mmCIF file of all heavy atoms in Angstrom:
data_model
loop_
_atom_site.group_PDB
_atom_site.id
_atom_site.type_symbol
_atom_site.label_atom_id
_atom_site.label_comp_id
_atom_site.label_asym_id
_atom_site.label_seq_id
_atom_site.Cartn_x
_atom_site.Cartn_y
_atom_site.Cartn_z
ATOM 1 N N ASN V 29 114.701 106.476 88.920
ATOM 2 C CA ASN V 29 114.594 106.671 87.478
ATOM 3 C C ASN V 29 115.581 107.740 87.016
ATOM 4 O O ASN V 29 115.246 108.613 86.231
ATOM 5 C CB ASN V 29 113.156 107.043 87.091
ATOM 6 C CG ASN V 29 112.852 106.703 85.646
ATOM 7 O OD1 ASN V 29 113.695 106.154 84.949
ATOM 8 N ND2 ASN V 29 111.673 107.029 85.196
ATOM 9 N N PHE V 30 116.791 107.673 87.561
ATOM 10 C CA PHE V 30 117.892 108.527 87.145
ATOM 11 C C PHE V 30 117.642 110.005 87.433
ATOM 12 O O PHE V 30 118.146 110.869 86.725
ATOM 13 C CB PHE V 30 118.236 108.282 85.667
ATOM 14 C CG PHE V 30 118.627 106.859 85.417
ATOM 15 C CD1 PHE V 30 117.677 105.910 85.072
ATOM 16 C CD2 PHE V 30 119.931 106.456 85.583
ATOM 17 C CE1 PHE V 30 118.035 104.586 84.879
ATOM 18 C CE2 PHE V 30 120.298 105.134 85.401
ATOM 19 C CZ PHE V 30 119.350 104.197 85.046
ATOM 20 N N LEU V 31 116.897 110.290 88.482
ATOM 21 C CA LEU V 31 116.657 111.654 88.923
ATOM 22 C C LEU V 31 117.233 111.820 90.320
ATOM 23 O O LEU V 31 117.237 110.881 91.110
ATOM 24 C CB LEU V 31 115.160 111.965 88.919
ATOM 25 C CG LEU V 31 114.464 111.809 87.567
ATOM 26 C CD1 LEU V 31 112.969 112.078 87.702
ATOM 27 C CD2 LEU V 31 115.075 112.721 86.523
ATOM 28 N N PRO V 32 117.713 113.004 90.654
ATOM 29 C CA PRO V 32 118.368 113.191 91.952
ATOM 30 C C PRO V 32 117.396 113.277 93.117
ATOM 31 O O PRO V 32 116.173 113.370 92.935
ATOM 32 C CB PRO V 32 119.111 114.517 91.769
ATOM 33 C CG PRO V 32 118.318 115.255 90.759
ATOM 34 C CD PRO V 32 117.766 114.200 89.827
ATOM 35 N N GLY V 34 115.167 114.659 95.907
ATOM 36 C CA GLY V 34 114.252 115.791 95.789
ATOM 37 C C GLY V 34 113.240 115.587 94.673
ATOM 38 O O GLY V 34 112.265 116.320 94.559
ATOM 39 N N PHE V 35 113.498 114.575 93.843
ATOM 40 C CA PHE V 35 112.610 114.252 92.726
ATOM 41 C C PHE V 35 112.122 112.812 92.846
ATOM 42 O O PHE V 35 111.755 112.181 91.859
ATOM 43 C CB PHE V 35 113.342 114.452 91.389
ATOM 44 C CG PHE V 35 113.739 115.880 91.136
ATOM 45 C CD1 PHE V 35 114.920 116.384 91.643
ATOM 46 C CD2 PHE V 35 112.918 116.726 90.411
ATOM 47 C CE1 PHE V 35 115.288 117.705 91.423
ATOM 48 C CE2 PHE V 35 113.274 118.045 90.185
ATOM 49 C CZ PHE V 35 114.467 118.536 90.695
ATOM 50 N N ASN V 37 109.473 111.466 93.832
ATOM 51 C CA ASN V 37 108.090 111.149 93.466
ATOM 52 C C ASN V 37 107.856 111.192 91.958
ATOM 53 O O ASN V 37 106.750 110.939 91.506
ATOM 54 C CB ASN V 37 107.125 112.089 94.189
ATOM 55 C CG ASN V 37 107.358 113.566 93.865
ATOM 56 O OD1 ASN V 37 108.360 113.930 93.254
ATOM 57 N ND2 ASN V 37 106.446 114.401 94.291
ATOM 58 N N LEU V 38 108.870 111.485 91.180
ATOM 59 C CA LEU V 38 108.725 111.580 89.727
ATOM 60 C C LEU V 38 109.361 110.404 89.015
ATOM 61 O O LEU V 38 110.333 109.835 89.490
ATOM 62 C CB LEU V 38 109.388 112.854 89.213
ATOM 63 C CG LEU V 38 108.819 114.170 89.685
ATOM 64 C CD1 LEU V 38 109.615 115.317 89.088
ATOM 65 C CD2 LEU V 38 107.356 114.295 89.326
ATOM 66 N N GLU V 39 108.805 110.079 87.864
ATOM 67 C CA GLU V 39 109.408 109.095 86.973
ATOM 68 C C GLU V 39 109.247 109.582 85.551
ATOM 69 O O GLU V 39 108.167 110.051 85.173
ATOM 70 C CB GLU V 39 108.710 107.741 87.107
ATOM 71 C CG GLU V 39 108.985 107.042 88.409
ATOM 72 C CD GLU V 39 108.343 105.666 88.465
ATOM 73 O OE1 GLU V 39 108.085 105.073 87.394
ATOM 74 O OE2 GLU V 39 108.101 105.187 89.580
ATOM 75 N N LEU V 40 110.314 109.479 84.790
ATOM 76 C CA LEU V 40 110.198 109.788 83.374
ATOM 77 C C LEU V 40 109.168 108.836 82.780
ATOM 78 O O LEU V 40 109.143 107.662 83.117
ATOM 79 C CB LEU V 40 111.550 109.657 82.687
ATOM 80 C CG LEU V 40 112.569 110.713 83.122
ATOM 81 C CD1 LEU V 40 113.972 110.307 82.717
ATOM 82 C CD2 LEU V 40 112.226 112.069 82.548
ATOM 83 N N GLY V 41 108.300 109.367 81.950
ATOM 84 C CA GLY V 41 107.227 108.565 81.364
ATOM 85 C C GLY V 41 105.875 108.839 81.998
ATOM 86 O O GLY V 41 104.846 108.470 81.434
ATOM 87 N N VAL V 47 102.442 114.531 86.831
ATOM 88 C CA VAL V 47 103.591 115.334 87.262
ATOM 89 C C VAL V 47 103.109 116.663 87.832
ATOM 90 O O VAL V 47 103.569 117.096 88.892
ATOM 91 C CB VAL V 47 104.598 115.550 86.111
ATOM 92 C CG1 VAL V 47 105.688 116.536 86.515
ATOM 93 C CG2 VAL V 47 105.213 114.226 85.681
ATOM 94 N N ARG V 51 103.957 118.151 91.484
ATOM 95 C CA ARG V 51 104.844 119.315 91.519
ATOM 96 C C ARG V 51 104.012 120.572 91.267
ATOM 97 O O ARG V 51 104.018 121.135 90.178
ATOM 98 C CB ARG V 51 105.942 119.199 90.466
ATOM 99 C CG ARG V 51 106.775 117.926 90.509
ATOM 100 C CD ARG V 51 107.505 117.736 91.782
ATOM 101 N NE ARG V 51 108.750 118.470 91.813
ATOM 102 C CZ ARG V 51 109.781 118.110 92.560
ATOM 103 N NH1 ARG V 51 109.715 117.040 93.322
ATOM 104 N NH2 ARG V 51 110.870 118.834 92.574
ATOM 105 N N LEU V 54 105.068 124.038 89.254
ATOM 106 C CA LEU V 54 105.413 124.127 87.830
ATOM 107 C C LEU V 54 104.684 125.299 87.170
ATOM 108 O O LEU V 54 103.491 125.501 87.387
ATOM 109 C CB LEU V 54 105.036 122.843 87.099
ATOM 110 C CG LEU V 54 105.792 121.571 87.464
ATOM 111 C CD1 LEU V 54 105.301 120.410 86.607
ATOM 112 C CD2 LEU V 54 107.279 121.753 87.286
ATOM 113 N N TYR V 67 107.625 123.214 81.075
ATOM 114 C CA TYR V 67 107.302 123.777 82.396
ATOM 115 C C TYR V 67 108.610 124.053 83.125
ATOM 116 O O TYR V 67 109.595 123.343 82.940
ATOM 117 C CB TYR V 67 106.488 122.788 83.232
ATOM 118 C CG TYR V 67 105.078 122.599 82.762
ATOM 119 C CD1 TYR V 67 104.786 121.706 81.741
ATOM 120 C CD2 TYR V 67 104.029 123.311 83.340
ATOM 121 C CE1 TYR V 67 103.480 121.518 81.306
ATOM 122 C CE2 TYR V 67 102.719 123.129 82.914
ATOM 123 C CZ TYR V 67 102.457 122.233 81.896
ATOM 124 O OH TYR V 67 101.167 122.056 81.470
ATOM 125 N N VAL V 68 108.584 125.084 83.967
ATOM 126 C CA VAL V 68 109.750 125.449 84.765
ATOM 127 C C VAL V 68 109.364 125.398 86.237
ATOM 128 O O VAL V 68 108.263 125.806 86.609
ATOM 129 C CB VAL V 68 110.250 126.860 84.385
ATOM 130 C CG1 VAL V 68 111.365 127.322 85.318
ATOM 131 C CG2 VAL V 68 110.716 126.892 82.946
ATOM 132 N N GLU V 69 110.280 124.902 87.042
ATOM 133 C CA GLU V 69 110.099 124.893 88.492
ATOM 134 C C GLU V 69 111.293 125.620 89.101
ATOM 135 O O GLU V 69 112.440 125.236 88.887
ATOM 136 C CB GLU V 69 110.026 123.452 89.007
ATOM 137 C CG GLU V 69 109.764 123.351 90.486
ATOM 138 C CD GLU V 69 109.642 121.908 90.959
ATOM 139 O OE1 GLU V 69 110.212 120.997 90.307
ATOM 140 O OE2 GLU V 69 108.978 121.695 91.979
ATOM 141 N N PRO V 72 113.613 123.863 92.986
ATOM 142 C CA PRO V 72 113.035 122.586 93.410
ATOM 143 C C PRO V 72 113.808 121.916 94.545
ATOM 144 O O PRO V 72 113.235 121.170 95.323
ATOM 145 C CB PRO V 72 113.065 121.737 92.146
ATOM 146 C CG PRO V 72 114.134 122.334 91.310
ATOM 147 C CD PRO V 72 114.146 123.802 91.631
ATOM 148 N N THR V 73 115.117 122.169 94.632
ATOM 149 C CA THR V 73 115.933 121.671 95.742
ATOM 150 C C THR V 73 116.972 122.740 96.082
ATOM 151 O O THR V 73 117.168 123.699 95.326
ATOM 152 C CB THR V 73 116.679 120.355 95.396
ATOM 153 O OG1 THR V 73 117.716 120.642 94.462
ATOM 154 C CG2 THR V 73 115.749 119.298 94.844
ATOM 155 N N ILE V 76 119.603 122.890 93.272
ATOM 156 C CA ILE V 76 119.120 123.086 91.903
ATOM 157 C C ILE V 76 118.217 124.316 91.876
ATOM 158 O O ILE V 76 117.064 124.257 92.297
ATOM 159 C CB ILE V 76 118.377 121.833 91.405
ATOM 160 C CG1 ILE V 76 119.313 120.623 91.442
ATOM 161 C CG2 ILE V 76 117.819 122.054 90.002
ATOM 162 C CD1 ILE V 76 118.647 119.305 91.137
ATOM 163 N N GLN V 78 116.844 125.738 89.360
ATOM 164 C CA GLN V 78 115.754 125.640 88.393
ATOM 165 C C GLN V 78 115.757 124.280 87.710
ATOM 166 O O GLN V 78 116.811 123.730 87.425
ATOM 167 C CB GLN V 78 115.893 126.744 87.335
ATOM 168 C CG GLN V 78 114.820 126.716 86.273
ATOM 169 C CD GLN V 78 114.858 127.942 85.393
ATOM 170 O OE1 GLN V 78 114.447 128.999 85.818
ATOM 171 N NE2 GLN V 78 115.358 127.790 84.181
ATOM 172 N N ALA V 79 114.563 123.763 87.457
ATOM 173 C CA ALA V 79 114.401 122.535 86.674
ATOM 174 C C ALA V 79 113.411 122.836 85.554
ATOM 175 O O ALA V 79 112.406 123.514 85.767
ATOM 176 C CB ALA V 79 113.892 121.395 87.546
ATOM 177 N N VAL V 80 113.720 122.327 84.381
ATOM 178 C CA VAL V 80 112.854 122.506 83.211
ATOM 179 C C VAL V 80 112.349 121.129 82.800
ATOM 180 O O VAL V 80 113.136 120.194 82.635
ATOM 181 C CB VAL V 80 113.618 123.178 82.041
ATOM 182 C CG1 VAL V 80 112.710 123.362 80.847
ATOM 183 C CG2 VAL V 80 114.228 124.506 82.489
ATOM 184 N N TYR V 81 111.039 121.002 82.650
ATOM 185 C CA TYR V 81 110.382 119.736 82.351
ATOM 186 C C TYR V 81 109.843 119.766 80.931
ATOM 187 O O TYR V 81 109.189 120.733 80.548
ATOM 188 C CB TYR V 81 109.197 119.517 83.300
ATOM 189 C CG TYR V 81 109.544 119.426 84.761
ATOM 190 C CD1 TYR V 81 109.932 120.550 85.483
ATOM 191 C CD2 TYR V 81 109.448 118.212 85.435
ATOM 192 C CE1 TYR V 81 110.225 120.466 86.836
ATOM 193 C CE2 TYR V 81 109.738 118.124 86.784
ATOM 194 C CZ TYR V 81 110.133 119.249 87.479
ATOM 195 O OH TYR V 81 110.422 119.172 88.814
ATOM 196 N N TYR V 82 110.071 118.696 80.167
ATOM 197 C CA TYR V 82 109.523 118.576 78.814
ATOM 198 C C TYR V 82 108.499 117.449 78.780
ATOM 199 O O TYR V 82 108.757 116.346 79.271
ATOM 200 C CB TYR V 82 110.619 118.234 77.807
ATOM 201 C CG TYR V 82 111.550 119.374 77.431
ATOM 202 C CD1 TYR V 82 111.448 120.644 78.001
ATOM 203 C CD2 TYR V 82 112.551 119.168 76.499
ATOM 204 C CE1 TYR V 82 112.313 121.661 77.638
ATOM 205 C CE2 TYR V 82 113.420 120.178 76.130
ATOM 206 C CZ TYR V 82 113.294 121.429 76.701
ATOM 207 O OH TYR V 82 114.152 122.432 76.344
ATOM 208 N N PHE V 83 107.375 117.744 78.154
ATOM 209 C CA PHE V 83 106.301 116.774 77.941
ATOM 210 C C PHE V 83 105.982 116.727 76.463
ATOM 211 O O PHE V 83 105.936 117.763 75.791
ATOM 212 C CB PHE V 83 105.028 117.193 78.704
ATOM 213 C CG PHE V 83 105.207 117.253 80.187
ATOM 214 C CD1 PHE V 83 105.687 118.409 80.792
ATOM 215 C CD2 PHE V 83 104.907 116.159 80.976
ATOM 216 C CE1 PHE V 83 105.865 118.474 82.160
ATOM 217 C CE2 PHE V 83 105.083 116.216 82.354
ATOM 218 C CZ PHE V 83 105.564 117.378 82.940
ATOM 219 N N PRO V 90 103.475 112.423 77.810
ATOM 220 C CA PRO V 90 104.465 111.858 78.726
ATOM 221 C C PRO V 90 105.609 112.832 79.053
ATOM 222 O O PRO V 90 106.052 113.604 78.200
ATOM 223 C CB PRO V 90 104.997 110.636 77.977
ATOM 224 C CG PRO V 90 104.751 110.928 76.546
ATOM 225 C CD PRO V 90 103.492 111.752 76.514
ATOM 226 N N PHE V 91 106.046 112.752 80.289
ATOM 227 C CA PHE V 91 107.209 113.487 80.790
ATOM 228 C C PHE V 91 108.435 112.755 80.277
ATOM 229 O O PHE V 91 108.724 111.650 80.717
ATOM 230 C CB PHE V 91 107.129 113.493 82.318
ATOM 231 C CG PHE V 91 108.354 113.956 83.055
ATOM 232 C CD1 PHE V 91 109.082 115.059 82.644
ATOM 233 C CD2 PHE V 91 108.742 113.302 84.211
ATOM 234 C CE1 PHE V 91 110.196 115.496 83.364
ATOM 235 C CE2 PHE V 91 109.844 113.727 84.942
ATOM 236 C CZ PHE V 91 110.572 114.823 84.513
ATOM 237 N N TYR V 92 109.151 113.355 79.320
ATOM 238 C CA TYR V 92 110.263 112.625 78.714
ATOM 239 C C TYR V 92 111.640 113.242 78.952
ATOM 240 O O TYR V 92 112.655 112.608 78.656
ATOM 241 C CB TYR V 92 110.034 112.425 77.209
ATOM 242 C CG TYR V 92 110.139 113.676 76.364
ATOM 243 C CD1 TYR V 92 111.344 114.057 75.793
ATOM 244 C CD2 TYR V 92 109.023 114.468 76.130
ATOM 245 C CE1 TYR V 92 111.440 115.192 75.011
ATOM 246 C CE2 TYR V 92 109.100 115.597 75.351
ATOM 247 C CZ TYR V 92 110.310 115.962 74.797
ATOM 248 O OH TYR V 92 110.404 117.098 74.027
ATOM 249 N N GLU V 93 111.699 114.456 79.513
ATOM 250 C CA GLU V 93 113.008 115.068 79.723
ATOM 251 C C GLU V 93 112.943 116.051 80.878
ATOM 252 O O GLU V 93 111.940 116.743 81.062
ATOM 253 C CB GLU V 93 113.456 115.804 78.462
ATOM 254 C CG GLU V 93 114.801 116.489 78.585
ATOM 255 C CD GLU V 93 115.267 117.104 77.275
ATOM 256 O OE1 GLU V 93 114.943 116.579 76.196
ATOM 257 O OE2 GLU V 93 115.978 118.115 77.342
ATOM 258 N N ILE V 94 114.059 116.130 81.612
ATOM 259 C CA ILE V 94 114.220 117.155 82.636
ATOM 260 C C ILE V 94 115.615 117.743 82.489
ATOM 261 O O ILE V 94 116.587 117.021 82.241
ATOM 262 C CB ILE V 94 113.984 116.599 84.058
ATOM 263 C CG1 ILE V 94 113.943 117.743 85.066
ATOM 264 C CG2 ILE V 94 115.005 115.547 84.431
ATOM 265 C CD1 ILE V 94 113.357 117.346 86.422
ATOM 266 N N ILE V 95 115.677 119.059 82.596
ATOM 267 C CA ILE V 95 116.941 119.783 82.547
ATOM 268 C C ILE V 95 117.158 120.358 83.938
ATOM 269 O O ILE V 95 116.394 121.220 84.382
ATOM 270 C CB ILE V 95 116.924 120.889 81.481
ATOM 271 C CG1 ILE V 95 116.623 120.290 80.100
ATOM 272 C CG2 ILE V 95 118.253 121.646 81.484
ATOM 273 C CD1 ILE V 95 116.335 121.314 79.027
ATOM 274 N N LEU V 96 118.158 119.854 84.621
ATOM 275 C CA LEU V 96 118.463 120.272 85.984
ATOM 276 C C LEU V 96 119.565 121.321 85.923
ATOM 277 O O LEU V 96 120.683 121.023 85.489
ATOM 278 C CB LEU V 96 118.911 119.071 86.809
ATOM 279 C CG LEU V 96 117.905 117.910 86.834
ATOM 280 C CD1 LEU V 96 118.565 116.644 87.322
ATOM 281 C CD2 LEU V 96 116.704 118.277 87.677
ATOM 282 N N GLU V 97 119.239 122.524 86.313
ATOM 283 C CA GLU V 97 120.202 123.622 86.262
ATOM 284 C C GLU V 97 120.835 123.794 87.637
ATOM 285 O O GLU V 97 120.160 124.113 88.602
ATOM 286 C CB GLU V 97 119.520 124.910 85.817
ATOM 287 C CG GLU V 97 118.957 124.805 84.413
ATOM 288 C CD GLU V 97 118.397 126.108 83.884
ATOM 289 O OE1 GLU V 97 118.750 127.187 84.405
ATOM 290 O OE2 GLU V 97 117.596 126.043 82.941
ATOM 291 N N TYR V 98 122.143 123.570 87.692
ATOM 292 C CA TYR V 98 122.894 123.701 88.939
ATOM 293 C C TYR V 98 123.495 125.098 89.035
ATOM 294 O O TYR V 98 123.536 125.839 88.050
ATOM 295 C CB TYR V 98 123.975 122.614 89.011
ATOM 296 C CG TYR V 98 123.394 121.245 89.231
ATOM 297 C CD1 TYR V 98 122.963 120.461 88.154
ATOM 298 C CD2 TYR V 98 123.221 120.742 90.512
ATOM 299 C CE1 TYR V 98 122.394 119.217 88.364
ATOM 300 C CE2 TYR V 98 122.659 119.492 90.727
ATOM 301 C CZ TYR V 98 122.244 118.747 89.641
ATOM 302 O OH TYR V 98 121.674 117.517 89.858
ATOM 303 N N LEU V 111 125.044 110.593 90.933
ATOM 304 C CA LEU V 111 123.787 110.046 90.421
ATOM 305 C C LEU V 111 124.001 108.968 89.362
ATOM 306 O O LEU V 111 123.365 107.923 89.404
ATOM 307 C CB LEU V 111 122.944 111.180 89.829
ATOM 308 C CG LEU V 111 121.580 110.816 89.288
ATOM 309 C CD1 LEU V 111 120.660 110.336 90.397
ATOM 310 C CD2 LEU V 111 120.970 112.033 88.600
ATOM 311 N N ILE V 131 117.455 105.360 78.927
ATOM 312 C CA ILE V 131 117.702 106.668 79.520
ATOM 313 C C ILE V 131 118.999 107.202 78.938
ATOM 314 O O ILE V 131 120.008 106.487 78.870
ATOM 315 C CB ILE V 131 117.846 106.579 81.056
ATOM 316 C CG1 ILE V 131 116.582 106.011 81.692
ATOM 317 C CG2 ILE V 131 118.233 107.929 81.656
ATOM 318 C CD1 ILE V 131 115.374 106.898 81.635
ATOM 319 N N LYS V 132 118.983 108.446 78.528
ATOM 320 C CA LYS V 132 120.184 109.107 78.040
ATOM 321 C C LYS V 132 120.356 110.383 78.855
ATOM 322 O O LYS V 132 119.383 111.071 79.150
ATOM 323 C CB LYS V 132 120.054 109.437 76.559
ATOM 324 C CG LYS V 132 121.296 110.077 75.988
ATOM 325 C CD LYS V 132 121.194 110.337 74.508
ATOM 326 C CE LYS V 132 122.493 110.982 74.049
ATOM 327 N NZ LYS V 132 122.426 111.445 72.679
ATOM 328 N N ALA V 133 121.599 110.683 79.230
ATOM 329 C CA ALA V 133 121.882 111.898 79.989
ATOM 330 C C ALA V 133 123.177 112.515 79.487
ATOM 331 O O ALA V 133 124.070 111.819 79.018
ATOM 332 C CB ALA V 133 121.982 111.582 81.482
ATOM 333 N N TRP V 134 123.260 113.839 79.605
ATOM 334 C CA TRP V 134 124.463 114.550 79.203
ATOM 335 C C TRP V 134 124.547 115.871 79.956
ATOM 336 O O TRP V 134 123.582 116.334 80.538
ATOM 337 C CB TRP V 134 124.506 114.764 77.688
ATOM 338 C CG TRP V 134 123.403 115.622 77.134
ATOM 339 C CD1 TRP V 134 123.434 116.976 76.916
ATOM 340 C CD2 TRP V 134 122.107 115.191 76.707
ATOM 341 N NE1 TRP V 134 122.232 117.394 76.392
ATOM 342 C CE2 TRP V 134 121.404 116.330 76.243
ATOM 343 C CE3 TRP V 134 121.475 113.949 76.671
ATOM 344 C CZ2 TRP V 134 120.106 116.265 75.768
ATOM 345 C CZ3 TRP V 134 120.174 113.891 76.186
ATOM 346 C CH2 TRP V 134 119.510 115.032 75.735
ATOM 347 N N LYS V 139 124.153 122.575 83.309
ATOM 348 C CA LYS V 139 122.948 121.744 83.332
ATOM 349 C C LYS V 139 123.274 120.258 83.188
ATOM 350 O O LYS V 139 124.225 119.884 82.525
ATOM 351 C CB LYS V 139 122.023 122.154 82.191
ATOM 352 C CG LYS V 139 121.611 123.609 82.232
ATOM 353 C CD LYS V 139 120.941 124.000 80.927
ATOM 354 C CE LYS V 139 120.524 125.442 80.933
ATOM 355 N NZ LYS V 139 121.611 126.343 80.592
ATOM 356 N N LEU V 140 122.410 119.450 83.797
ATOM 357 C CA LEU V 140 122.407 118.014 83.577
ATOM 358 C C LEU V 140 121.067 117.687 82.937
ATOM 359 O O LEU V 140 120.014 117.984 83.506
ATOM 360 C CB LEU V 140 122.570 117.248 84.887
ATOM 361 C CG LEU V 140 122.514 115.724 84.777
ATOM 362 C CD1 LEU V 140 123.668 115.188 83.915
ATOM 363 C CD2 LEU V 140 122.548 115.081 86.156
ATOM 364 N N VAL V 141 121.108 117.122 81.750
ATOM 365 C CA VAL V 141 119.903 116.784 81.008
ATOM 366 C C VAL V 141 119.690 115.272 81.123
ATOM 367 O O VAL V 141 120.600 114.499 80.845
ATOM 368 C CB VAL V 141 120.031 117.177 79.516
ATOM 369 C CG1 VAL V 141 118.757 116.841 78.751
ATOM 370 C CG2 VAL V 141 120.391 118.648 79.375
ATOM 371 N N VAL V 142 118.505 114.872 81.540
ATOM 372 C CA VAL V 142 118.154 113.454 81.640
ATOM 373 C C VAL V 142 116.890 113.245 80.824
ATOM 374 O O VAL V 142 115.887 113.936 81.029
ATOM 375 C CB VAL V 142 117.915 113.029 83.113
ATOM 376 C CG1 VAL V 142 117.586 111.539 83.186
ATOM 377 C CG2 VAL V 142 119.122 113.362 83.978
ATOM 378 N N THR V 143 116.959 112.308 79.887
ATOM 379 C CA THR V 143 115.816 112.068 79.019
ATOM 380 C C THR V 143 115.533 110.582 78.890
ATOM 381 O O THR V 143 116.437 109.761 78.985
ATOM 382 C CB THR V 143 116.043 112.714 77.628
ATOM 383 O OG1 THR V 143 114.864 112.615 76.857
ATOM 384 C CG2 THR V 143 117.193 112.080 76.895
ATOM 385 N N SER V 144 114.273 110.277 78.698
ATOM 386 C CA SER V 144 113.845 108.904 78.461
ATOM 387 C C SER V 144 113.493 108.785 76.983
ATOM 388 O O SER V 144 112.744 109.611 76.452
ATOM 389 C CB SER V 144 112.625 108.581 79.330
ATOM 390 O OG SER V 144 112.221 107.250 79.118
ATOM 391 N N GLU V 150 110.707 113.369 71.179
ATOM 392 C CA GLU V 150 111.813 114.098 70.551
ATOM 393 C C GLU V 150 113.118 113.303 70.447
ATOM 394 O O GLU V 150 113.638 113.106 69.359
ATOM 395 C CB GLU V 150 112.028 115.379 71.352
ATOM 396 C CG GLU V 150 113.189 116.214 70.910
ATOM 397 C CD GLU V 150 113.388 117.429 71.798
ATOM 398 O OE1 GLU V 150 112.678 117.586 72.818
ATOM 399 O OE2 GLU V 150 114.273 118.233 71.465
ATOM 400 N N TRP V 151 113.663 112.839 71.555
ATOM 401 C CA TRP V 151 114.974 112.202 71.524
ATOM 402 C C TRP V 151 114.915 110.767 71.023
ATOM 403 O O TRP V 151 115.891 110.279 70.445
ATOM 404 C CB TRP V 151 115.642 112.267 72.886
ATOM 405 C CG TRP V 151 115.945 113.681 73.270
ATOM 406 C CD1 TRP V 151 115.336 114.406 74.256
ATOM 407 C CD2 TRP V 151 116.867 114.567 72.639
ATOM 408 N NE1 TRP V 151 115.836 115.682 74.287
ATOM 409 C CE2 TRP V 151 116.788 115.807 73.299
ATOM 410 C CE3 TRP V 151 117.758 114.437 71.582
ATOM 411 C CZ2 TRP V 151 117.565 116.900 72.933
ATOM 412 C CZ3 TRP V 151 118.534 115.529 71.218
ATOM 413 C CH2 TRP V 151 118.436 116.731 71.890
#
Side-chain angles (χ1 to χ4, degrees):
N29 204 2
F30 301 90
L31 301 177
F35 296 85
N37 60 349
L38 297 179
E39 289 184 24
L40 292 164
V47 172
R51 306 299 277 206
L54 294 181
Y67 289 84
V68 173
E69 183 178 26
T73 71
I76 301 173
Q78 179 171 285
V80 180
Y81 298 72
Y82 285 2
F83 298 87
F91 168 43
Y92 70 91
E93 179 175 329
I94 189 165
I95 302 169
L96 304 164
E97 297 186 20
Y98 289 86
L111 182 65
I131 300 291
K132 182 177 180 188
W134 63 93
K139 302 168 180 83
L140 177 63
V141 181
V142 181
T143 187
S144 181
E150 176 183 5
W151 295 110

